[in-house]
Amino acid sequence: MSTTDEPAVSAGGCRPREVLDIVGDKWSLLVVRHLRDGPRRFTELKRGIDGISQRMLTVTLRSLERDGILTRTVHNVMPPNVSYELTPMGATLREATAHLLRWSSEHLALIDAARAEYDARTAQPGQLS
């Protein structure tokens, strides 16, 4: 038995990596974050997630729905509309990733400074990589 909190990896593959691939793409966590306060319509998500295209939002929502992270509800009104909401499993994902998203926001300025320093250092002629 391992003394760490990391899940065991079988010889046949790395199942935890499959899950990390699902939630670790560029947009999934942002979608989950925007659903934290309840159901949202597609247009609300599109407006709230800076830089996401309509196609990529559609692909991300379908993937999260397939994996049981959110539900899609079609409302029979005129005109029809669709809303998305986190499932109970999706809510636990939101809780688990809230610290990572907060850390990202809090350290953005430091990351920008580190990148600028690195780029300046590596752009100088005669420097070894």
Side-chain angles (χ1 to χ4, degrees):
M1 181 90 184
S2 173
T3 58
T4 68
D5 289 335
E6 294 180 19
V9 178
S10 69
C14 185
R15 294 295 313 228
R17 181 171 176 193
E18 288 180 36
V19 175
L20 292 175
D21 287 344
I22 294 163
V23 300
D25 71 65
K26 185 174 182 177
W27 301 110
S28 291
L29 292 184
L30 293 174
V31 169
V32 168
R33 181 180 190 192
H34 277 80
L35 292 172
R36 72 183 176 268
D37 295 325
R40 295 283 182 263
R41 292 176 59 183
F42 184 92
T43 54
E44 292 176 292
L45 291 169
K46 174 89 172 67
R47 276 193 304 262
I49 302 173
D50 190 40
I52 194 167
S53 68
Q54 183 168 331
R55 180 187 177 285
M56 188 49 59
L57 180 55
T58 299
V59 168
T60 301
L61 290 168
R62 285 180 183 163
S63 175
L64 292 171
E65 181 183 11
R66 179 177 184 256
D67 293 328
I69 305 298
L70 59 80
T71 58
R72 176 182 186 268
T73 303
V74 178
H75 302 279
N76 283 332
V77 294
M78 279 314 242
N81 69 57
V82 177
S83 65
Y84 298 89
E85 183 173 18
L86 292 176
T87 62
M89 182 171 58
T92 63
L93 173 62
R94 183 192 48 78
E95 292 167 11
T97 59
H99 298 291
L100 176 61
L101 291 167
R102 190 175 316 108
W103 181 91
S104 300
S105 296
E106 291 171 357
H107 290 85
L108 193 54
L110 293 172
I111 292 168
D112 288 342
R115 287 176 177 174
E117 178 187 332
Y118 176 87
D119 292 346
R121 187 177 66 245
T122 58
Q124 295 174 1
Q127 287 286 1
L128 295 177
S129 301

